[in-house]
Amino acid sequence: MAAPGPPAGPHPTSPPPTGGARPGGRGVLQRMDKGRIRRIVAVGSGKGGVGKSSVTALLAAELRRRGRTVGILDADITGPSIPKLLGLTGPLTDRGEGIEPAATASGIPVVSSQFMVEDEQTPVIWRGPLVTRLITQFFGGVNWGALDYLLLDMPPGTSDVPLTVFQTIPIDGMVFVLTPQDLAALIVKKAMNMARDLHVPLLGVVENMAYLDCPHCHTRIAAFGPSRVGSVAEQYGIPVLARLPIAPPVSELADAGRLGEYAAPEIAALADAFERAVADVTQGTPTVL
Amino acid sequence: MAAPGPPAGPHPTSPPPTGGARPGGRGVLQRMDKGRIRRIVAVGSGKGGVGKSSVTALLAAELRRRGRTVGILDADITGPSIPKLLGLTGPLTDRGEGIEPAATASGIPVVSSQFMVEDEQTPVIWRGPLVTRLITQFFGGVNWGALDYLLLDMPPGTSDVPLTVFQTIPIDGMVFVLTPQDLAALIVKKAMNMARDLHVPLLGVVENMAYLDCPHCHTRIAAFGPSRVGSVAEQYGIPVLARLPIAPPVSELADAGRLGEYAAPEIAALADAFERAVADVTQGTPTVL
């Protein structure tokens, strides 16, 4: 890894940092080649456990099925989920020309801190500065190749990692995931406000765990309460990209590391809405930060 | 707040820090008065969204109902949930003699970063060092009074905050919350390994969202897959403290800021198991770190 240097990068129009030193040395950021990645989209929520990683993996797999080239940057350094969901293991390799990502059978390149520890139960115990350094390296130091979409699976919270991502990676927009709980709506709004403050376009919201159809009597159960995604989307003037149910097959496939195999009409609809939203937001704006 | 100083504190037998500077100045830590707090217990999971905050609030309320004095330190600085669940608002006050916590109607003192922002949708965008400073102040700089239990609602991840908590607060043990997903079991094990590495006693595990009883046909639905809490508990040689269902009334009360009113046999059983586990672990060891 390059030694820390002064803030640098290809984005002279970046908004000013809101606090702290700007992470990432010149060497790391100079490797970055956004030219071969068409669209960079963060998937986040502020809150943990709402299904950011599942939505990211399901969306990436669906986009791949329709012929797009898609990569996943697992930005949840201290709580990585993507490798488990997609059945990927490390280690990452670097033959001196940048990090080679792992890849799914369908050809989705993935980087994750999970690939850097000995076994999947080893915690990544790092303080913020190390975490932010790794994020910039995962973006600029990886041989991503040509991609239609790079999806960033964001960690919960509004601290170091989202700050670093927003300040140093030229993302085109952000998708927000919430669940029907009032608390989830509250926390996602914080994340949306943070993104807006940092000039990141809000692409839309996905309601996850929206309902559960009883497998026995087929009644629809509002397990976590009534839907709030409509009012959140309206408040911010952005589209609802999908309402995804609690689906036991999703849990089973996720547990088996085969979540990418889950295809369903609601996932296809999510991919449609996602591509529309990205096109809408990026129209005429080749690089937005 | 006191200026940062050299590492200091009342715990000469603390394990060595595993990385980074030890947060918290001498002034902050000298205020700390563990003498009036009998037991300090962290509630965490590594993973977000599994219900750490709900379990913390439900447990605190139940302990309070049986006459214990209980406080809650909301250590999830960038994703605070406790105030919303218990219907509490700020601001915190300090008349020069330390921070006065907010308190529930039943008399549970609470501190949270939520009380420090203008409205509940304002994000707390702070980098690690500020976050860790606040944690130590929330412990040592607050007039907690005499407490039987201080519960720490931990954030997800294994980065700054858990490191700070484990290194600077004399916690007696930690309760872990997971859901039936394989991924949740995986991530909770990381948090458990981190706690074990830092000599924090593991008190037990709580399985949340363990199942859902269909309100219509009353069939029990394994919404997130089969239970894994037994094998996790066995692997670490610790008790299962409770298996809590997805209960729509819990969501409703949480949304209304009245979660503390939820009383149920499984919550009483959780409190019983919790007090047993604390007694077992702390027997003959007045201060464990």
Side-chain angles (χ1 to χ4, degrees), chain B residues 100-222:
Chain B
E100 285 302 322
T104 66
S106 65
I108 299 175
V110 175
V111 291
S112 172
S113 69
Q114 185 68 69
F115 301 145
M116 304 174 69
V117 292
E118 269 176 46
D119 71 81
E120 62 177 12
Q121 293 173 22
T122 303
V124 176
I125 309 177
W126 291 347
R127 290 198 181 272
L130 261 182
V131 170
T132 56
R133 184 86 66 85
L134 188 61
I135 291 286
T136 56
Q137 201 190 23
F138 270 0
F139 181 67
V142 168
N143 293 328
W144 286 109
L147 293 178
D148 292 316
Y149 299 104
L150 177 64
L151 303 183
L152 274 60
D153 184 23
M154 301 286 281
T158 48
S159 187
D160 299 72
V161 170
L163 256 185
T164 299
V165 167
F166 293 159
Q167 290 173 0
T168 66
I169 297 181
I171 65 178
D172 292 287
M174 186 156 172
V175 168
F176 295 86
V177 183
L178 47 67
T179 60
Q181 294 141 299
D182 211 22
L183 182 61
L186 174 67
I187 299 182
V188 84
K189 286 182 194 174
K190 294 186 202 208
M192 291 165 83
N193 291 343
M194 179 184 184
R196 210 167 45 178
D197 288 352
L198 293 167
H199 308 281
V200 175
L202 315 185
L203 294 176
V205 276
V206 176
E207 186 174 58
N208 196 27
M209 308 186 207
Y211 53 85
L212 170 66
D213 290 327
C214 176
H216 305 279
C217 71
H218 306 292
T219 310
R220 181 154 293 189
I221 307 168

Side-chain angles (χ1 to χ4, degrees), chain B:
Chain B
M1 186 184 291
H11 319 298
T13 58
S14 299
T18 57
R22 184 160 171 183
R26 183 178 298 272
V28 172
L29 282 175
Q30 276 187 340
R31 270 200 200 159
M32 188 178 65
D33 186 4
K34 155 84 170 158
R36 300 185 67 201
I37 304 177
R38 282 192 62 233
R39 298 299 173 209
I40 303 171
V41 176
V43 181
S45 80
K47 188 160 178 2
V50 298
K52 285 177 300 294
S53 303
S54 294
V55 168
T56 303
L58 288 165
L59 176 60
E62 178 67 23
L63 291 167
R64 187 75 198 104
R65 272 193 292 274
R66 51 181 72 177
R68 313 293 187 250
T69 48
V70 192
I72 300 177
L73 192 168
D74 184 355
D76 196 350
I77 302 297
T78 64
S81 301
I82 293 288
K84 170 73 186 164
L85 297 176
L86 294 179
L88 292 171
T89 54
L92 297 171
T93 57
D94 186 345
R95 298 194 192 84
E97 298 177 343
I99 297 166
E100 285 302 322
T104 66
S106 65
I108 299 175
V110 175
V111 291
S112 172
S113 69
Q114 185 68 69
F115 301 145
M116 304 174 69
V117 292
E118 269 176 46
D119 71 81
E120 62 177 12
Q121 293 173 22
T122 303
V124 176
I125 309 177
W126 291 347
R127 290 198 181 272
L130 261 182
V131 170
T132 56
R133 184 86 66 85
L134 188 61
I135 291 286
T136 56
Q137 201 190 23
F138 270 0
F139 181 67
V142 168
N143 293 328
W144 286 109
L147 293 178
D148 292 316
Y149 299 104
L150 177 64
L151 303 183
L152 274 60
D153 184 23
M154 301 286 281
T158 48
S159 187
D160 299 72
V161 170
L163 256 185
T164 299
V165 167
F166 293 159
Q167 290 173 0
T168 66
I169 297 181
I171 65 178
D172 292 287
M174 186 156 172
V175 168
F176 295 86
V177 183
L178 47 67
T179 60
Q181 294 141 299
D182 211 22
L183 182 61
L186 174 67
I187 299 182
V188 84
K189 286 182 194 174
K190 294 186 202 208
M192 291 165 83
N193 291 343
M194 179 184 184
R196 210 167 45 178
D197 288 352
L198 293 167
H199 308 281
V200 175
L202 315 185
L203 294 176
V205 276
V206 176
E207 186 174 58
N208 196 27
M209 308 186 207
Y211 53 85
L212 170 66
D213 290 327
C214 176
H216 305 279
C217 71
H218 306 292
T219 310
R220 181 154 293 189
I221 307 168
F224 292 113
S227 177
R228 286 170 182 85
V229 69
S231 70
V232 171
E234 193 179 354
Q235 184 182 339
Y236 287 80
I238 57 177
V240 175
L241 302 179
R243 293 189 67 223
L244 306 178
I246 300 173
V250 167
S251 294
E252 281 166 37
L253 286 168
D255 284 351
R258 293 164 46 204
L259 187 57
E261 297 172 25
Y262 184 76
E266 68 266 21
I267 306 300
L270 165 63
D272 288 339
F274 170 83
E275 294 208 270
R276 260 198 314 274
V278 173
D280 284 350
V281 160
T282 55
Q283 212 169 22
T285 55
T287 298
V288 178
L289 177 60

Side-chain angles (χ1 to χ4, degrees), chain A residues 41 44 56 69 92 101 171 191-192 226 238 288:
Chain A
V41 176
T56 304
T69 48
L92 297 170
I171 64 177
M192 291 165 84
I238 57 176
V288 178

